[in-house]
Amino acid sequence: MFPLQRNRRLRANESIRSLVRETTLSPNDFMLPMFIAEGKDVKVAIPSMPGIYRHSLDNTIKEIKEAWNLGIKAVNIYVKVSDHLKDNKGVEAWNKDGLMQQTIRAIKDAVPEMIVMPDVALDPYSIYGHDGIIENGQLINDATVDALTRMSLSHAEAGADFVAPSDMMDGRVLAIRKALEENGHHNVGIMSYSAKYASAFYGPFRDALDSAPVDSQNIPKDKKTYQMDYANRIEGIREALLDVEEGADIVMVKPGMAYLDIVREVKNAVHVPVAVYQVSGEYAMVKAAAEKGWLDHDKIMIEQLYCIKRAGANIISTYFAKEAAIILNK
């Protein structure tokens, strides 16, 4: 009761604020998403994501070393697949000499302690831009799970520390876990995109990989039959719990800022680390507003990352990782 309690005493200066601060943020919390392209000395800007590029493998290794020196311990990698390698079944996804597999090996050779979590989904490899195999205008769950399992095994054999299924097929975590165990990859973990919503925030990412669903009368125009309805809360918790039962070591909520209620609910429900993906649209919005002079870029960036951590995230996958690490390291 006032005046016995004056809460402003604990806000009087930065020293006391730092001393009683409930949430801390460091580069150890970040995972850096990276886009990989074919070729050599390639650095292609992504217009809808200022400051983000598709890098060829040689330049990717330079980026990896820079990230490691900043204190970033994990990367989530995605590949830009050439059109001639795309089909409906994603066969290139488990090519042992494919771009993703080459990238995993190169990163682990260059910086062995960097945690590599390659994306497991068929959309970069699909002629239809979907996360799975299409038959008669529908995405087929079980055949897709078989393809994802083969893809995951190829990642494990290339040296991935974790595989990261982002497809939202039913039963894929269990199938992947069984396959990893049966093939001796006992120490390869699974970071499952458990509560992945059908969000409009993904637009710039699809520009980066040229992986948007094709516009055709015979093909689903969006991903709402497998990604989650953003009106739902309990469904996200159920998905996370099921993935843990099936063997997920880490569960992810995606997107980030607009879904922090889901992050907290999932954090309260599971007993494994929770990752959050601050997605491309969230990144692009901050960049655009800052370019207009409407927001202070660095302050908004750090505030958002703190909010994600406060909500319960153990890992934050963010395109801001390097910029934020530089500020935090100071």
Side-chain angles (χ1 to χ4, degrees), residues 19 79 132 210 236:
L19 191 64
V79 293
D210 188 24

Side-chain angles (χ1 to χ4, degrees), residues 141-157:
N141 190 93
D142 295 6
T144 297
V145 169
D146 290 341
L148 297 171
T149 301
R150 298 180 70 173
M151 185 179 183
S152 298
L153 281 175
S154 76
H155 292 177
E157 289 162 3

Side-chain angles (χ1 to χ4, degrees), residues 76-227:
N76 192 202
I77 53 177
Y78 303 84
V79 293
K80 170 69 170 67
V81 179
S82 299
D83 287 345
H84 75 278
L85 295 174
K86 296 182 180 183
D87 60 23
N88 184 32
K89 295 185 178 180
V91 173
E92 178 64 16
W94 54 87
N95 178 0
K96 65 182 179 64
D97 295 316
L99 181 58
M100 178 68 87
Q101 291 76 4
Q102 292 181 48
T103 302
I104 295 167
R105 289 193 291 266
I107 294 173
K108 295 305 290 185
D109 285 344
V111 187
E113 292 180 288
M114 179 67 83
I115 301 300
V116 180
M117 300 191 185
D119 179 59
V120 176
L122 296 186
D123 51 327
Y125 302 89
S126 169
I127 55 175
Y128 300 122
H130 275 284
D131 292 37
I133 297 168
I134 301 291
E135 292 181 9
N136 299 319
Q138 301 292 323
L139 192 147
I140 306 303
N141 190 93
D142 295 6
T144 297
V145 169
D146 290 341
L148 297 171
T149 301
R150 298 180 70 173
M151 185 179 183
S152 298
L153 281 175
S154 76
H155 292 177
E157 289 162 3
D161 299 282
F162 286 74
V163 294
S166 64
D167 54 283
M168 289 300 289
M169 296 300 107
D170 293 332
R172 89 277 207 215
V173 173
L174 180 59
I176 291 169
R177 185 70 267 162
K178 285 183 175 180
L180 291 172
E181 294 297 321
E182 290 169 0
N183 287 273
H185 299 295
H186 312 298
N187 295 324
V188 175
I190 299 174
M191 180 183 71
S192 174
Y193 290 55
S194 298
K196 181 178 179 180
Y197 287 83
S199 172
F201 284 106
Y202 303 148
F205 176 94
R206 292 171 183 167
D207 290 343
L209 293 185
D210 188 24
S211 62
V214 299
D215 187 9
S216 170
Q217 291 183 344
N218 299 320
I219 304 298
K221 64 180 180 180
D222 55 39
K223 302 188 177 186
K224 292 182 178 180
T225 65
Y226 47 103
Q227 295 178 359

Side-chain angles (χ1 to χ4, degrees), residues 219-255:
I219 304 298
K221 64 180 180 180
D222 55 39
K223 302 188 177 186
K224 292 182 178 180
T225 65
Y226 47 103
Q227 295 178 359
M228 289 171 45
D229 185 340
Y230 54 69
N232 294 351
R233 177 181 61 86
I234 295 172
E235 184 182 12
I237 303 166
R238 183 169 71 245
E239 289 279 7
L241 289 170
L242 285 171
D243 281 358
V244 172
E245 288 181 7
E246 292 181 14
D249 302 280
I250 302 168
V251 296
M252 177 181 277
V253 176
K254 181 181 180 181

Side-chain angles (χ1 to χ4, degrees), residues 55-83:
H55 289 286
S56 54
L57 190 48
D58 51 342
N59 286 335
T60 295
I61 297 306
K62 295 176 184 177
E63 290 286 305
I64 290 289
K65 291 179 178 178
E66 180 183 349
W68 180 261
N69 290 333
L70 288 170
I72 297 166
K73 305 297 196 305
V75 290
N76 192 202
I77 53 177
Y78 303 84
V79 293
K80 170 69 170 67
V81 179
S82 299
D83 287 345

Side-chain angles (χ1 to χ4, degrees), residues 194-195 197 228 230-242 244 251-276 307-314:
S194 298
Y197 287 83
M228 289 171 45
Y230 54 69
N232 294 351
R233 177 181 61 86
I234 295 172
E235 184 182 12
I237 303 166
R238 183 169 71 245
E239 289 279 7
L241 289 170
L242 285 171
V244 172
V251 296
M252 177 181 277
V253 176
K254 181 181 180 181
M257 287 301 296
Y259 295 80
L260 295 186
D261 59 322
I262 309 301
V263 175
R264 174 43 59 186
E265 295 265 18
V266 169
K267 180 68 173 180
N268 290 343
V270 303
H271 299 286
V272 298
V274 176
V276 175
C307 291
I308 295 170
K309 181 77 182 292
R310 187 192 66 223
N314 301 97

